[in-house]
Amino acid sequence: MSLKSEIERRKTFAIVSHPDAGKTTLTEKLLLFGGAIHVAGAVKSNKIKKTATSDFMEIERQRGISVATSVMAFEYNEYKVNILDTPGHQDFQEDTFRTLTAVDSVIIVIDAAKGVEPQTKKLMDVCRMRKTPVIVFVNKMDRPSEDTFNLLEEIENQLQISTRPLSWPINSGPGFKGVYNIYSSSLQLFRPNVQEIETGIKFDNIYDSGLEKHLGSDVEILREELELLEGVYPEFSESEYLAGNLAPVFFGSALYNFGVQELLNTFLKIAPTPRPRLTNERIVNPYEASFSGFVFKIHANIDPNHRSRIAFVKICSGKFERNKPYTHTRLNKTFKISSPTAFMAAKKEVIDEAYPGDIVGIPDNGNFIIGDTLTEGENIHYKGLPSFSPEMFRYIENADPMKSKQLAKGIDQLMDEGVAQLFTNQFNGRKIIGCVGQLQFEVIQYRLEHEYGAKCRFEPIQMYKACWVKSNDKQLLEDFRKRKSQRMAKDKIGRDVFMADSPFILDMARQEFEKIDFHFTSDFDN
Ligand code: G4P
C-alpha cells in the first residue's frame, strides 16, 4: 500500500470526559467492535477491565482512576484506528493535555443526566485552542436525562462550540426506545438489559408507516422533534467540523452498547486523517516522504518485570522503519531503533514500519524527554507541547538513607516522564517537587516505592509560584541571583528559577527588576 493510502486509512483520536461519564466503557465497546478485545458484554467484569483499559500501573487498579495514558490500536473495516487513552482524574490533566497534542480528533463523552461538567469544559478549551475537531457522545440515555434540546443548548453555551445532532434519542430513562440516526436515516431500537450489538432498522424517511409499529405514539413526538431540529439547525457541514467550529452530536448508552456502532461508523467517515503539523522551522505535511515524529509521552516501568522505559512517538510524516538511522534533533545524535513497538490494546508487539497517525513505542534509556523530535536528518523541532505552571509545592526528603541512589534515579526518571517538576533550592540544596494536583504527590511516593524501592517523605513549603527568570543582561541576572539568593533554585536542566512565596514577594521582585523576564511555564525557550 502506498504512503498516501496508509495515511488516508488512519484515524488517531482520544476519548475524553469528566470522570464517570463513561469514557472507559465507550473505549471498551469500541475495542470490542474492532475485535481488539473479545469479552463481550459486562463492563463490570474485572477481566475486561484488565485487558481493555490502560491498566499499566498497579496504582490505577488500586485507585480506580486511569493514571497512565495508553494507546490502543485496532483494524476496523479498511481503517486503522488509534485510540489514545487519557487519565480521567483532574490531577493528571497535564498528561491528558499532552496527549491531545498527539491526536487528530477527539470524542467528548457527556453524561446525559449531568450535562457539561467542569472537566469537560477544560478539555474543550484545549481542543478549541488547537482547533481539534470534536464529536460529542451523549451517554447514559438509558437513565433519565435532561430534555434533548436543553442539553444541546447547554453543550453549545458551556463548550462554546456550535453543535449539530446527527442522531436523535427517543425518550430517555425507563422510556428510552432508541436512537434515530439522522446521518443514515436509520432507526436503532433499544432493548434494556441487552448488551449485544444490534443492527439498525432502516427507513428512508420518518413518515414511513413502519415506524409506528416500532414506536407507537412516540413516533409523533419523534417526527415533531426532527422537524423542529431541521428548522433550527443548518445542514451538517463536514468542513466546519474539520475546522473545529462544529461538533456533531450522537446519543446512546455505552454500557448497553447502544448507539456506539453508529458513532464509530460515522466517526470513521468524517473524522480527519493525519494533518500537517507545525515545527519551529516550518509546517510538515504527513505525505512528505521523509519520516518525522515527536515524543509526547514517556513512561517508565510499564512492565514491572523488566526495567523498561518507553518513549511514545507520534509519527507526523513519512514512513517509520525499524533499524533505520534517525536523528534526535535536540541532541543532534543518530539512533537506530531496533525494537519499536505498537500497542494493540493491552498487547505490545515489535513492528517493522509505521505511518503518520501511528504511535510507536521506543525503548529508551534516558535519551528522550517530552517534546523531542526524531527525523531522517532535517533539523526541525515540533511545537506545541504545553508545559504547566506548578501550583503545589513540597520538599521531597529521603525516608530511607540506605536507598538514596534509588531515590535519585526514581525522581530523575519520573520527572522525565513529566509526572511533576523538580527544583533544587540553591541556598540550602533541598529538592522541591512542583505539581498541579495533590494526587500527583501520592503517585510519586507510590511509584518511588514500588518501582524503585525508595522511600520518600514530603514536607510543607511556603510557596506561591515558581518563575523561570531570564535576561540578556548577564550582570543584571547575576545581581538578581545574589539579591534573591535564598529564593533561587535550578530546574532539572539547570535553568534559574525564582521561588516566590507570596504574590507580594513576586510583585516586589518584578518591580525591582523590570528588565528581567519572568516566565510561569518552562517552555518559554521554544
Ligand atoms: P469514566 O471512564 O468516564 O470515568 O467512566 P466509566 O466508563 O468507568 O463509567 C462510569 C460508570 O458509569 C460505570 O459504573 C459504568 O458502568 C457506568 N456507565 C457507563 N456508561 C453507561 C451507560 O450508558 N448507562 C449506564 N446506566 N451506566 C453507564 P460503575 O458502577 O461506577 O463502575 P463499574 O463497576 O460498572 O465499573
Side-chain angles (χ1 to χ4, degrees):
M1 212 181 278
S2 68
L3 176 65
K4 183 166 176 284
S5 354
E6 286 289 3
I7 294 174
E8 281 169 359
R9 69 185 200 96
R10 274 166 169 77
K11 306 277 178 173
T12 302
F13 70 107
I15 303 176
V16 299
S17 75
H18 191 89
D20 267 353
K23 177 176 72 72
T24 313
T25 313
L26 180 65
T27 308
E28 287 170 354
K29 294 299 150 80
L30 293 178
L31 294 178
L32 269 172
F33 282 116
I37 54 171
H38 300 284
V39 190
V43 174
K44 284 192 171 66
S45 139
N46 284 332
K47 198 161 173 228
I48 199 166
K49 282 245 160 176
K50 267 192 200 128
T51 47
T53 58
S54 52
D55 276 357
F56 282 138
M57 281 156 54
E58 182 67 19
I59 194 163
E60 180 179 6
R61 280 191 283 275
Q62 291 206 345
R63 291 183 167 279
I65 50 167
S66 175
V67 175
T69 303
S70 65
V71 183
M72 289 158 282
F74 62 89
E75 298 274 342
Y76 182 76
N77 296 340
E78 71 269 37
Y79 295 102
K80 165 85 186 287
V81 182
N82 296 311
I83 306 181
L84 275 56
D85 191 19
T86 54
H89 197 283
Q90 61 171 1
D91 285 5
F92 301 98
Q93 263 180 28
E94 283 183 62
D95 211 359
T96 301
F97 292 166
R98 279 194 290 256
T99 299
L100 291 182
T101 66
V103 300
D104 297 304
S105 69
V106 162
I107 294 179
I108 294 185
V109 183
I110 290 175
D111 181 329
K114 294 192 178 148
V116 175
E117 295 174 89
Q119 220 174 309
T120 331
K121 271 169 86 169
K122 281 196 188 165
L123 292 159
M124 183 63 216
D125 288 344
V126 180
C127 295
R128 198 178 318 102
M129 234 162 58
R130 306 181 53 82
K131 293 258 161 219
T132 309
V134 161
I135 291 181
V136 174
F137 182 71
V138 179
N139 190 30
K140 305 198 188 180
M141 290 305 298
D142 57 298
R143 291 212 179 139
S145 70
E146 282 183 50
D147 168 77
T148 310
F149 282 105
N150 289 347
L151 193 60
L152 287 167
E153 198 178 315
E154 182 185 331
I155 295 172
E156 291 218 345
N157 292 338
Q158 299 275 328
L159 298 186
Q160 294 169 43
I161 187 162
S162 305
T163 57
R164 175 50 161 112
L166 287 188
S167 79
W168 195 257
I170 302 151
N171 306 331
S172 70
F176 182 51
K177 293 225 168 120
V179 166
Y180 186 78
N181 187 327
I182 300 167
Y183 195 74
S184 66
S185 321
S186 62
L187 174 72
Q188 205 191 358
L189 294 174
F190 180 67
R191 283 189 291 151
N193 305 320
V194 176
Q195 298 192 359
E196 79 223 18
I197 303 161
E198 290 188 64
T199 46
I201 306 164
K202 204 147 168 83
F203 293 93
D204 286 334
N205 75 67
I206 51 164
Y207 294 97
D208 195 308
S209 56
L211 265 170
E212 259 136 52
K213 186 175 125 226
H214 295 289
L215 295 180
S217 58
D218 283 326
V219 76
E220 274 313 314
I221 301 170
L222 174 68
R223 283 175 186 149
E224 270 169 33
E225 288 184 338
L226 288 176
E227 263 173 41
L228 188 60
L229 183 143
E230 295 306 327
V232 173
Y233 291 95
E235 280 272 293
F236 170 63
S237 158
E238 214 168 303
S239 58
E240 279 296 283
Y241 157 65
L242 291 174
N245 299 326
L246 176 75
V249 182
F250 288 84
F251 296 84
S253 163
L255 181 63
Y256 293 105
N257 219 336
F258 195 81
V260 176
Q261 187 156 34
E262 321 240 285
L263 169 76
L264 179 61
N265 288 346
T266 317
F267 166 82
L268 291 172
K269 272 196 209 117
I270 65 173
T273 53
R275 311 202 290 176
R277 284 191 83 91
L278 209 57
T279 65
N280 287 342
E281 294 76 12
R282 66 182 184 88
I283 294 175
V284 175
N285 195 302
Y287 297 92
E288 290 178 20
S290 294
F291 156 75
S292 69
F294 70 92
V295 177
F296 69 94
K297 177 179 175 60
I298 291 185
H299 203 320
N301 312 322
I302 283 186
D303 180 350
N305 299 320
H306 305 274
R307 282 251 158 255
S308 55
R309 174 167 143 147
I310 289 192
F312 290 72
V313 175
K314 160 89 189 266
I315 298 179
C316 301
S317 70
K319 179 173 163 183
F320 170 90
E321 287 173 82
R322 187 158 83 94
N323 277 329
K324 215 172 156 180
Y326 290 133
T327 305
H328 181 314
T329 59
R330 182 176 57 86
L331 300 179
N332 194 20
K333 259 169 116 174
T334 302
F335 288 91
K336 271 190 190 163
I337 296 144
S338 58
S339 43
T341 49
F343 304 87
M344 302 298 278
K347 268 202 331 265
K348 270 194 314 162
E349 58 188 25
V350 173
I351 45 136
D352 289 319
E353 53 186 50
Y355 296 89
D358 287 343
I359 310 298
V360 173
I362 296 182
D364 171 41
N365 45 25
N367 288 306
F368 290 100
I369 59 172
I370 287 167
D372 280 347
T373 300
L374 275 178
T375 70
E376 281 189 28
E378 188 182 353
N379 191 21
I380 50 173
H381 304 83
Y382 278 98
K383 249 182 153 56
L385 279 156
S387 78
F388 293 82
S389 174
E391 285 165 16
M392 296 176 174
F393 301 89
R394 303 267 188 284
Y395 283 122
I396 182 164
E397 300 292 347
N398 189 357
D400 181 353
M402 305 296 285
K403 298 282 169 62
S404 48
K405 251 194 183 161
Q406 286 87 333
L407 184 71
K409 183 173 176 201
I411 294 177
D412 191 52
Q413 294 200 348
L414 293 184
M415 298 307 125
D416 282 352
E417 276 186 41
V419 171
Q421 299 190 42
L422 177 73
F423 307 98
T424 309
N425 186 315
Q426 296 302 287
F427 190 69
N428 57 19
R430 291 181 81 180
K431 295 205 180 315
I432 300 162
I433 299 279
C435 289
V436 290
Q438 168 62 32
L439 204 51
Q440 281 173 291
F441 291 111
E442 292 171 39
V443 168
I444 290 169
Q445 196 162 30
Y446 181 95
R447 290 190 58 188
L448 284 172
E449 191 173 339
H450 289 83
E451 295 172 23
Y452 299 91
K455 284 207 168 77
C456 77
R457 188 177 67 236
F458 290 109
E459 288 182 7
I461 174 173
Q462 172 64 34
M463 197 153 132
Y464 166 64
K465 272 218 177 327
C467 320
W468 281 260
V469 285
K470 200 180 168 188
S471 169
N472 290 334
D473 185 339
K474 294 237 155 45
Q475 188 55 49
L476 185 69
L477 206 55
E478 194 46 46
D479 289 350
F480 184 87
R481 276 191 211 111
K482 277 204 185 116
R483 286 275 289 284
K484 310 286 173 198
S485 64
Q486 297 201 8
R487 296 197 172 90
M488 291 309 291
K490 294 272 187 200
D491 72 2
K492 192 166 178 282
I493 54 171
R495 294 179 297 187
D496 286 314
V497 182
F498 174 59
M499 314 297 267
D501 47 15
S502 69
F504 174 73
I505 296 286
L506 178 59
D507 280 350
M508 291 278 288
R510 293 178 92 163
Q511 277 168 26
E512 224 180 312
F513 288 88
E514 282 180 340
K515 297 228 163 74
I516 287 202
D517 299 327
F518 288 74
H519 300 273
F520 296 94
T521 63
S522 60
D523 57 0
F524 59 90
D525 274 341
N526 290 338

